[in-house]
């Protein structure tokens, strides 16, 4: 009986149960937003289910956003997940819950939480080396001197984080080719993607008090897929000396489903061997494995162009959290931080067109023509899965975005 | 009769009327936060006053933050200001309003609005040239090639913006002297200030739609003073290639009073003559004067160390807003953007200790000893005023912060 009998091998079985926020698409349906939990190709209205079962978690789940659940903290996260697992697996609940499931095709998915601060890191050594070789070909080392000592990051614009499926308007801005004497203004001609994983903070921290490495799971609720859209021409002209600004701030897309860390225990792996000694606040040698074996896939107009392996990331999410707060910066519920572009060691594993086409030198051959950077009408989709218990796969949903033409200023 | 008969020459007379949020300090008093308007050395409980007078603006003013007023837009801002001006100047209202005034000494001031995104610019040519000369002494030009073509900016951490009077814990982090082979960890030994002006966005904008120069006053509600605390040693090691991060993100202090743009009409001045042609979206030649004649004062432990003139800023707040959105980035109510460090042409007008001491080379002589960078226990206070109507001064309040010792990680 659907939705309960999810086919074997479905990456959204009861071992996964990611969270999102949905409304019923039918204009005659109730338009309000509710917390949903995905099971197969259905969404469970989690608040309605909690009410129907007399659950004490109705207060956290019968909400228009994930914010109250995120703020509730690690113990509540695990307790709620345990309850949800029972609801969707214990046959006695089936009749009660059936009316609260909706087919995915009947719902609209929304940005599931209020983004507080958004930080983006730069944690893939392969990506950083590729970028260094492309932009600083004469440098003695393709990595900057600080790269192996700290997870480099910067703040992005939280107000332009959008949910998967939101169109992305091609940004305009200044660019200047090396031979030009002055910059020109116009639509970006080097619009790119960055395939990343985003980490969602639930539990806040106090200003002035660093969060140590070992407290990562107390603060981070789960993860999502993230596409850090990047206008390379705008970025190249603006970024010295204060970093990327308009080249990144027009849009950042995240998947509609947030996968709780608790669903990813079987995906945890050791990060790559560290080549440089780490300062104590970043030294994870005695911590639990901090990497995740996530297999990402990047498709343009349905054609897979890359399969970046997240397990290759040099810096872990726990290290990034410890670094981000070591100066006393506080965390808020809804803080989002991106891993940085995920690029593996081989050509087919690069997470940006900048790297895949080596800054436009080597065009990709797609069924609908060649690509160096994105054209209007291109739709980019990131998907991913992770190993789950007993040989299952944990699906990470998708983040999708269609490029629409630039608007006149 | 106080509070109505503000002494002549008071920079917080009825020509000013800045907005803030306060609560009564007396533990027996009502603890809730309310919107306040400053008159002399008193605060008017604006919501209570609106209710007492049967004003239609009670809905905007009887609130715990300025957020609803900020979101109400330019017409409402001017209408509310006109009403408040009448309330505090028409003698017939005195008896009704008197109970709703509180002496400043009886109230606690709070962060007056919810900070959405925080962006910091770099708009003082004197500051940028000083920094260039200090950090890149061998460069042919102390400005980077983009500086005269666009207002350089970057995103900061909105979650660590604090109100004046909040202590600032000395941050710890990584630093590496050029001669060192590896970074060391510890409390910052080069803790600095940046004297800035902050602009507060009220009216949001749509993602994908740039905000033109001429729409500045429709979107920006007012301004505040801002101290962008900076750990120069942390910043120097981390900032290549993605810009400042932990060197800035531990705290940013803003004044408790937001001065509406409508109070600053007499302070508007033309910005410095532009030395380079501007792209059309930044060309303000045919716009109203975009600069402000704000006289800032920087004091350490009560001793004035600098008087930076805001009128020297090369890029205006309207240009910064147009630039920030030209790529389609949307605005939200509560967005805050800093001008960048304000430094005049002369030594006594520099807005950071980095410049005032030339990176620690020339110590300042204070009554309590020499200073290169800030010591624990130092209290920094920024104040400012602007020319008002009829020879008056418009006070911009103050932003104050005391440095407390680093905590162990």
């Amino acid at each position: 009986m659907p939705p309960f009998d999810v086919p074997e091998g479905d990456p959204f079985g009861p071992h996964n149960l990611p969270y999102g926020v949905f409304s019923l698409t039918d204009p005659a349906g109730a338009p309000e937003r509710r917390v949903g939990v995905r099971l197969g190709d259905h969404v469970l209205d989690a608040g309605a289910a909690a009410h129907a079962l007399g659950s004490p978690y109705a207060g956290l789940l019968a909400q228009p956003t994930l914010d109250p659940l995120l703020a509730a903290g690690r113990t509540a996260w695990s307790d709620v997940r345990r309850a949800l697992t029972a609801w969707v697996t214990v046959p006695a609940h089936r009749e009660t819950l059936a009316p609260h499931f909706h087919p995915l095709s009947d719902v609209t998915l929304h940005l599931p939480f209020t983004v507080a601060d958004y930080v983006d890191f730069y944690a893939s050594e392969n990506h950083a080396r590729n970028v260094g070789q492309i932009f600083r070909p004469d440098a003695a080392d393709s990595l900057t001197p600080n790269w192996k000592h700290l997870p480099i990051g910067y703040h992005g614009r939280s107000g332009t984080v959008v949910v998967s499926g939101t169109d992305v308007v091609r940004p305009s801005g200044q660019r200047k080719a090396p031979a030009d004497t002055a910059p020109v203004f116009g639509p970006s001609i080097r619009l790119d993607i960055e395939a990343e994983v985003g980490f969602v903070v639930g539990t806040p921290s106090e200003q002035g008090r660093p969060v140590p490495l070992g407290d990562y799971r107390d603060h981070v609720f789960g993860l999502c897929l993230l596409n850090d859209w990047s206008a390379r021409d705008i970025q190249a002209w603006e970024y010295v000396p204060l970093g990327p600004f308009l080249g990144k701030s027009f849009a950042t897309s995240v998947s509609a489903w947030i996968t709780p860390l608790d669903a990813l225990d079987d995906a945890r792996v050791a990060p790559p061997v560290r080549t440089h000694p780490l300062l104590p606040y970043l030294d994870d040698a005695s911590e639990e494995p901090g990497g995740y074996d996530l297999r990402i896939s990047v498709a343009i107009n349905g054609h897979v162009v890359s399969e970046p392996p997240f397990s290759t990331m040099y810096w872990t999410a726990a290290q990034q959290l410890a670094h981000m707060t070591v100066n006393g910066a506080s965390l808020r519920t809804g803080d989002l931080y991106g891993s940085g572009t995920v690029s593996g060691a081989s050509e087919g594993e690069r997470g940006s067109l900048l790297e895949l086409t080596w800054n436009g030198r080597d065009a990709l051959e797609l069924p609908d023509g060649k690509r160096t950077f994105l054209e209007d009408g291109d739709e980019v989709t990131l998907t991913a899965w992770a190993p789950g218990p007993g040989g299952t796969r944990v699906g990470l949903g998708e983040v999708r975005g269609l490029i629409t033409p630039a608007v006149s200023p």
Side-chain angles (χ1 to χ4, degrees), chain A residues 167-303:
Chain A
D167 289 350
V168 173
V169 179
R170 179 181 297 273
S172 292
Q174 296 193 22
R175 62 172 180 272
K176 189 178 109 36
D180 294 341
T181 54
V184 297
F185 181 85
S188 170
I189 55 176
R190 301 171 86 80
L191 184 56
D192 198 358
I193 59 159
E194 294 197 336
E196 304 196 17
V197 173
F199 294 83
V200 180
V201 171
T203 308
S205 71
E206 190 188 339
Q207 199 162 351
R209 298 281 159 183
V211 174
L213 265 181
D215 288 0
Y216 160 71
R217 288 176 69 89
D218 291 339
H219 289 276
V220 173
F221 172 80
L223 53 77
C224 58
L225 289 175
L226 186 150
N227 186 346
D228 177 32
W229 306 95
S230 300
R232 301 296 179 195
D233 41 359
I234 297 172
Q235 184 184 350
W237 170 232
E238 75 179 357
Y239 91 105
V240 175
L242 299 185
F245 184 37
L246 301 190
K248 303 274 196 174
S249 66
F250 54 97
T252 305
S253 299
V254 293
S255 54
W257 298 109
I258 311 298
T259 305
L261 295 190
D262 282 340
L264 294 166
D265 283 341
D266 292 274
R268 295 170 70 179
V269 292
V273 173
R274 278 73 174 76
T275 55
H276 290 56
L278 293 175
L279 286 163
Y281 79 95
L282 291 173
D283 187 355
D284 59 358
S286 62
E287 302 288 332
E288 296 182 341
Y292 293 97
D293 180 14
L294 313 178
R295 324 286 176 94
I296 303 171
S297 180
V298 181
I300 300 178
N301 303 330
H303 182 79

Side-chain angles (χ1 to χ4, degrees), chain A residues 4 23 32 79 118 274 320 322 346 369 383:
Chain A
F4 297 98
S23 60
E32 68 268 17
D79 290 349
Y118 166 49
R274 278 73 174 76
Q320 291 169 335
S346 74
T383 53

Side-chain angles (χ1 to χ4, degrees), chain A residues 47-72:
Chain A
H51 277 303
L53 293 170
S55 160
Y57 304 121
L60 290 179
L61 296 173
Q63 297 283 352
T65 76
L66 294 181
D67 299 355
L69 178 62
L70 293 181

